[in-house]
Amino acid sequence: MNKTLDEKLILARKVQMAKAMLQRADEAGIPKEYRSIGPDKLKTILCNRYHKDIEGLVQKIYTEPNFLISKKVIAIDGGNLLQRKRAGFALLFRIITFDNVALYKDFNETTETLKQFNSVESAEIMNSMKKADHLFIGELRTHVLQAPPKSIAMLWDSIFEKRYDTEKTTIVSFSSPLPSSSHNIICDDTCGNFFPFIYNNDVNKELNVFRLRVKS
Amino acid sequence: MDRNVRVPNESLKHLALKEEPRFLSLILKSKDKFIDTYDFGIKPGSDGHFWCKDANLLYSIAYEYFKKYGTLLTRTGLDSIVDTIMLGGKKVQEEHKTSVRVYWDKICAINVSDEDYPMLKDHINERYVQWQAYEFYKKNLTGIVGATRGQIELVKEAKNELLAIDGLEPDNYSKTLSMIEALDEVESYIAERRATKEDLQRVPTYIKGIDKVFNGFEKGSYTVVAGLINGGKTTLMMNIGFQMALKGHHVVYVSLEKKALLLFIRLVCLYAEVDYNRLKIGGSDSDGIDDYHYDKLLDAVRELRGIVPNFHCIQKPQGTSLSNILSDVNRIEAKNPIDVLIVDYLGVIGNETVHVGRSDLDDWKTSSRLQAFGKIKNYVTITGSQLKTQSAKEVRNKAKKAATADVDVDISPEDLAGSKMIIGDADNGLGCALNYDSPPTKMYVYSMKARDDASRVQIELDFDGRLGRVCDPQFAVGQVTNVDDIVYNDEITEAELNEISIFDSKEPDLLSNVGENKQEDVDIIKKNDIIDSQPQESSIPKEKDDIFGDLF
């Protein structure tokens, strides 16, 4: 169907905006296959363990995603690796479409880089993670943080603490479900200044930590 | 005519013979005074201010020299140019070449106090006005005395001619107003403003976001647009100027960086909604100027010829002095009164003063002169200024986060390169920054001289570098959901988006279903006058279940 000139101008602007969003997604490191996770798909991924009204929640995520930015931590657990990744990327991409700049880092790869202590690359990665406005860390494995060398856990802790102090949003997916009671999996002086904050945070209050659980 | 007897008054003649050399002695030794004389409007030539032939000749040479080089004539300079300089289209006659050198030596030996300068300038101007009035009466008196009918018309014409005498009000801006005089003017102004929303004393930018804050720019006002290098200053000023010209205002755009023809090419591309890169690539292939885009461009040229926007562009090299620039502006003004003067941009105008170690003062001086010129001529004057290198990084970071509600691209006077007095003295200051997309998609404009909370706002505008367009947003913040049908469409890849040309006559298949079912969104966008940071509720269908029905 032929469009009027007005409609073409509006469409041109939409295309320009869409390109900008996809460009930001590229720069954030969001894989292409994880970009088109819309609300219908997200509804099927999330379970109502923490939120009874999944439909309402998904609607809010897609129409007012900036509410996510007010949370310091968005913790995703449950289900399987793929589902958690999809949920995380869905949120990250939605934040990006609302004119935000974001970053994704894979936990394992980043940990390997951080092990090259004092290298330029590890310093750069740490800086970028501390400074990123919105960061998604995919699949944080707590047992890696408990294993030696302990300095790795301390580096991660410094990243999370910096982000917490500067009120930047961090999306984290956990391989193990988060307990709803104050049971600390990690709480020693190697790492854990930050994580108890997540674990101990009352899921009902959701002041600073926003929890999502995905279906198996 | 013997210049010395312009008016048959011996005392006057003696005064002129005494005062003109003294005046020249002062201005030829001081650049500030010469610039002041130049700006004041003391004219050279046979119809100019000077009565003495020698004084007139020397002043004419110094005047032309200053216009050309922006510097004061020196004795050695005089030796160099007296053979070649053109005055009124003619070279200096042989017999006058020696006499002007001798005259120079004579007047430079005169000692005159600086305190005499204002008095001498005034006297020279008064004699000039007197001479014109004398010529006027010589011409008209007989006619008025001998008239047997149509006397009123005759007198009206004569009155107009008398009031048009040059130099009668050399500075039609300065005045003193008493309270009682002012109250009458204020009362008329209030009645005028009440009668109509249109304020003829203000020129809108025709960008609603900016006009909502500034209500247009007042005639005689001076606006500085500050921004980063490649931060969109020229594009913003170009768009404002073009919109004003399209609406009938006479705009003069002084370009010290780009050629005038290039500016007009960009304006045609802007009007035609054609990517300027097509002209850069060239050829008639699909990425160049193919048949479709060629027709669009020619249509734009044809339409603009029909409208004939009142837009002049003065092209000058970087480093050109302000006097040189304003001289060209005056030439255009003489043929057609100017409403808007845009000078792009302050940082590359050649300074005519020298404050050792304080180039910021020189910049400020240039800006002050430009501001004063615009005020006296009653132009809307707009110019650009760069930010300091140290501030640039911070502004860039702010622009990166500007989309979130809490962050403003807050550019302050301290961020300006050169003197912050430039903004301090300006009537309006606009800070502008592009967002972090690559290529940028938005421009944030911030009022740098906000006087109250209502004007302390950040204006978000759409920016398209390919078209060279800055305009009101087609989507308010929160209406970004309108792009969902493209971004969440699995079938559309980024590579495919990059290849799409919306205005091709053949509609791209990929987007054939995009936007079709959102007529209400199209209507809302078109009606959108208010730029709101809140999501437009009416853009979201009332039934929640249907909200994404068209997408998935």
Side-chain angles (χ1 to χ4, degrees):
Chain A
M1 182 177 109
N2 283 330
K3 297 194 191 312
T4 64
L5 181 61
D6 271 345
E7 285 166 339
K8 283 193 176 183
L9 289 173
I10 290 169
L11 188 58
R13 179 60 186 167
K14 285 169 70 164
V15 168
Q16 187 192 20
M17 286 172 66
K19 283 185 202 175
M21 289 173 192
L22 295 176
Q23 171 86 5
R24 282 201 289 272
D26 266 341
E27 286 164 9
I30 300 178
K32 288 182 170 44
E33 60 271 27
Y34 290 107
R35 290 182 196 177
S36 52
I37 301 169
D40 277 356
K41 286 183 195 165
L42 188 60
K43 274 184 226 174
T44 63
I45 293 171
L46 297 178
C47 105
N48 62 1
R49 176 68 180 83
Y50 299 129
H51 306 274
K52 297 298 172 200
D53 179 15
I54 291 293
E55 285 218 16
L57 175 67
V58 167
Q59 165 142 347
K60 195 172 178 187
I61 288 170
Y62 280 86
T63 56
E64 296 168 52
N66 283 336
F67 88 94
L68 295 170
I69 292 168
S70 64
K71 309 298 178 193
K72 291 190 182 184
V73 177
I74 299 169
I76 303 171
D77 67 0
N80 60 43
L81 172 62
L82 191 60
Q83 296 286 67
R84 288 192 294 274
K85 256 185 153 173
R86 280 183 177 152
F89 281 127
L91 300 186
L92 198 74
F93 186 68
R94 196 57 182 161
I95 289 171
I96 281 176
T97 59
F98 269 67
D99 271 351
N100 294 297
V101 176
L103 183 66
Y104 163 70
K105 285 290 175 201
D106 178 84
F107 178 77
N108 279 343
E109 280 175 25
T110 308
T111 302
E112 288 309 308
T113 309
L114 291 178
K115 280 179 182 170
Q116 304 161 27
F117 297 112
N118 300 321
S119 73
V120 170
E121 205 184 334
S122 89
E124 271 176 12
I125 283 197
M126 282 196 64
N127 262 339
S128 67
M129 290 173 71
K130 284 178 182 175
K131 284 184 181 170
D133 289 342
H134 315 285
L135 174 67
F136 172 34
I137 298 170
E139 216 49 25
L140 197 139
R141 290 179 165 79
T142 51
H143 64 273
V144 169
L145 294 173
Q146 286 177 303
K150 287 187 178 179
S151 44
I152 291 296
M154 287 169 74
L155 288 177
W156 272 109
D157 202 47
S158 75
I159 294 169
F160 285 118
E161 286 235 35
K162 179 70 176 173
R163 292 190 62 78
Y164 178 81
D165 288 343
T166 50
E167 309 213 350
K168 293 181 193 285
T169 309
T170 309
I171 305 171
V172 191
S173 66
F174 290 91
S175 54
S176 322
L178 293 171
S180 55
S181 61
S182 56
H183 172 72
N184 296 338
I185 293 175
I186 295 173
C187 187
D188 60 26
D189 53 9
T190 58
C191 178
N193 289 328
F194 180 75
F195 291 111
F197 164 73
I198 302 177
Y199 290 123
N200 293 335
N201 211 270
D202 189 334
V203 67
N204 292 321
K205 288 189 182 160
E206 282 194 4
L207 287 175
N208 291 306
V209 177
F210 186 72
R211 296 196 194 190
L212 291 172
R213 180 162 284 181
V214 298
K215 292 177 185 169
S216 303
Chain B
M1 181 193 70
D2 182 353
R3 294 180 69 84
N4 292 354
V5 290
R6 272 180 163 185
V7 175
N9 180 334
E10 280 302 308
S11 309
L12 210 61
K13 173 183 152 186
H14 284 302
L15 209 51
L17 284 171
K18 236 182 1 187
E19 289 186 339
E20 286 177 7
R22 288 184 197 167
F23 182 70
L24 278 176
S25 174
L26 283 173
I27 66 172
L28 288 176
K29 290 173 187 166
S30 161
K31 197 175 178 186
D32 276 349
K33 287 191 180 66
F34 195 94
I35 290 173
D36 182 67
T37 301
Y38 185 95
D39 285 348
F40 184 81
I42 301 286
K43 289 185 178 51
S46 54
D47 293 331
H49 279 67
F50 287 87
W51 286 37
C52 308
K53 259 193 281 193
D54 292 330
N56 178 53
L57 178 59
L58 182 55
Y59 181 71
S60 301
I61 293 173
Y63 187 94
E64 288 303 320
Y65 187 87
F66 183 77
K67 241 174 61 175
K68 190 172 179 183
Y69 299 108
T71 57
L72 207 51
L73 180 68
T74 58
R75 181 63 173 84
T76 45
L78 177 65
D79 278 339
S80 298
I81 63 157
V82 73
D83 291 321
T84 53
I85 197 163
M86 303 293 276
L87 302 174
K90 293 181 189 163
K91 285 191 179 176
V92 178
Q93 292 174 10
E94 276 307 313
E95 61 266 31
H96 294 144
K97 287 179 188 175
T98 309
S99 64
V100 75
R101 289 189 184 97
V102 168
Y103 189 71
W104 172 287
D105 295 335
K106 180 178 151 193
I107 62 152
C108 282
I110 302 171
N111 275 327
V112 187
S113 167
D114 283 346
E115 306 294 323
D116 290 347
Y117 171 72
M119 179 256 314
L120 290 170
K121 187 176 82 178
D122 267 351
H123 284 187
I124 282 174
N125 190 55
E126 282 176 3
R127 280 193 293 274
Y128 175 62
V129 170
Q130 182 181 11
W131 165 63
Q132 290 175 85
Y134 175 68
E135 292 293 321
F136 163 81
Y137 283 115
K138 266 196 329 189
K139 183 181 146 202
N140 290 286
L141 199 57
T142 314
I144 290 171
V145 165
T148 52
R149 59 174 180 278
Q151 289 93 329
I152 289 180
E153 272 312 306
L154 198 64
V155 169
K156 274 188 185 166
E157 267 178 43
K159 174 188 149 196
N160 288 339
E161 213 180 302
L162 188 68
L163 289 174
I165 282 177
D166 187 35
L168 195 61
E169 285 178 60
D171 168 8
N172 56 12
Y173 178 75
S174 304
K175 67 178 170 189
T176 304
L177 210 55
S178 70
M179 186 73 182
I180 199 80
E181 287 164 339
L183 285 172
D184 287 338
E185 284 193 39
V186 168
E187 197 178 342
S188 310
Y189 179 73
I190 291 169
E192 223 177 83
R193 293 303 302 121
R194 188 181 146 84
T196 171
K197 282 206 159 197
E198 197 191 346
D199 186 349
L200 295 174
Q201 286 311 306
R202 303 187 85 88
V203 179
T205 64
Y206 301 101
I207 296 176
K208 285 178 189 147
I210 297 177
D211 288 339
K212 194 181 163 199
V213 174
F214 293 94
N215 293 315
F217 295 135
E218 193 174 354
K219 288 185 179 174
S221 69
Y222 184 63
T223 300
V224 177
V225 175
L228 301 164
I229 299 169
N230 288 333
K233 297 185 296 297
T234 297
T235 310
L236 180 61
M237 291 194 290
M238 187 181 85
N239 271 262
I240 289 175
F242 190 45
Q243 289 301 322
M244 289 174 170
L246 285 172
K247 296 285 193 244
H249 302 284
H250 182 197
V251 177
V252 170
Y253 191 105
V254 179
S255 176
L256 287 138
E257 285 198 306
K258 294 180 175 48
K259 288 186 178 174
L261 182 62
L262 180 60
L263 179 80
F264 285 114
I265 291 170
R266 294 303 304 256
L267 291 179
V268 167
C269 287
L270 170 64
Y271 192 80
E273 300 267 347
V274 168
D275 184 352
Y276 169 66
N277 286 309
R278 289 186 176 275
L279 274 85
K280 276 162 76 172
I281 293 168
S284 54
D285 292 341
S286 59
D287 57 352
I289 312 170
D290 57 16
D291 290 344
Y292 178 72
H293 291 98
Y294 181 62
D295 288 341
K296 282 196 79 178
L297 287 165
L298 289 193
D299 281 345
V301 170
R302 215 168 288 130
E303 276 179 43
L304 287 171
R305 275 212 183 100
I307 305 169
V308 193
N310 217 347
F311 194 105
H312 279 86
C313 182
I314 298 174
Q315 165 190 312
K316 291 282 182 189
Q318 293 188 6
T320 301
S321 71
L322 187 63
S323 303
N324 191 321
I325 294 168
L326 298 185
S327 174
D328 281 13
V329 172
N330 280 330
R331 246 195 294 278
I332 297 175
E333 159 87 22
K335 293 179 191 161
N336 189 359
I338 297 170
D339 297 311
V340 182
L341 173 63
I342 301 177
V343 179
D344 186 9
Y345 64 98
L346 268 182
V348 292
I349 298 176
N351 286 327
E352 288 164 286
T353 56
V354 177
H355 291 83
V356 177
R358 292 295 305 273
S359 58
D360 57 318
L361 293 179
D362 295 324
D363 293 339
W364 176 43
K365 224 36 186 140
T366 302
S367 175
S368 293
R369 268 191 76 206
L370 177 59
Q371 182 172 3
F373 178 81
K375 222 171 253 309
I376 290 170
K377 299 283 192 179
N378 210 30
Y379 299 158
V380 168
T381 309
I382 304 172
T383 188
S385 183
Q386 273 185 11
L387 301 183
K388 279 189 230 171
T389 314
Q390 306 88 290
S391 301
K393 193 177 170 186
E394 204 182 304
V395 168
R396 262 189 239 279
N397 284 337
K398 283 179 190 170
K400 201 170 150 184
K401 301 175 190 183
T404 58
D406 295 337
V407 179
D408 282 343
V409 185
D410 185 352
I411 299 175
S412 71
E414 280 73 29
D415 293 320
L416 238 68
S419 172
K420 60 179 182 259
M421 289 308 297
I422 292 172
I423 281 282
D425 290 346
D427 298 292
N428 306 299
L430 267 65
C432 67
L434 298 174
N435 74 345
Y436 218 59
D437 285 337
S438 179
T441 54
K442 289 192 203 292
M443 174 182 278
Y444 299 103
V445 176
Y446 197 77
S447 169
M448 295 171 72
K449 295 198 75 166
R451 288 177 178 84
D452 51 42
D453 284 343
S455 53
R456 196 181 302 278
V457 290
Q458 177 168 278
I459 306 159
E460 189 180 300
L461 301 173
D462 280 355
F463 178 87
D464 189 332
R466 303 160 309 138
L467 304 180
R469 180 175 62 191
V470 177
C471 60
D472 289 305
Q474 286 182 317
F475 296 96
V477 172
Q479 280 186 322
V480 70
T481 48
N482 284 289
V483 190
D484 284 347
D485 48 3
I486 299 176
V487 215
Y488 284 101
N489 190 332
D490 269 337
E491 292 172 20
I492 302 174
T493 67
E494 197 176 336
E496 282 157 345
L497 273 183
N498 282 329
E499 286 170 13
I500 281 171
S501 175
I502 300 295
F503 296 97
D504 275 342
S505 50
K506 181 184 165 197
E507 186 171 289
D509 291 336
L510 283 171
L511 299 180
S512 56
N513 288 325
V514 166
E516 263 188 26
N517 297 322
K518 292 202 185 256
Q519 185 55 46
E520 63 175 13
D521 291 335
V522 168
D523 291 340
I524 286 158
I525 287 159
K526 281 194 218 170
K527 281 183 201 164
N528 236 359
D529 281 337
I530 311 290
I531 309 306
D532 205 310
S533 60
Q534 298 302 316
Q536 297 290 322
E537 281 187 314
S538 53
S539 70
I540 300 170
K542 291 191 174 91
E543 295 77 30
K544 282 186 191 177
D545 291 339
D546 287 341
I547 188 166
F548 293 115
D550 295 327
L551 280 176
F552 306 97

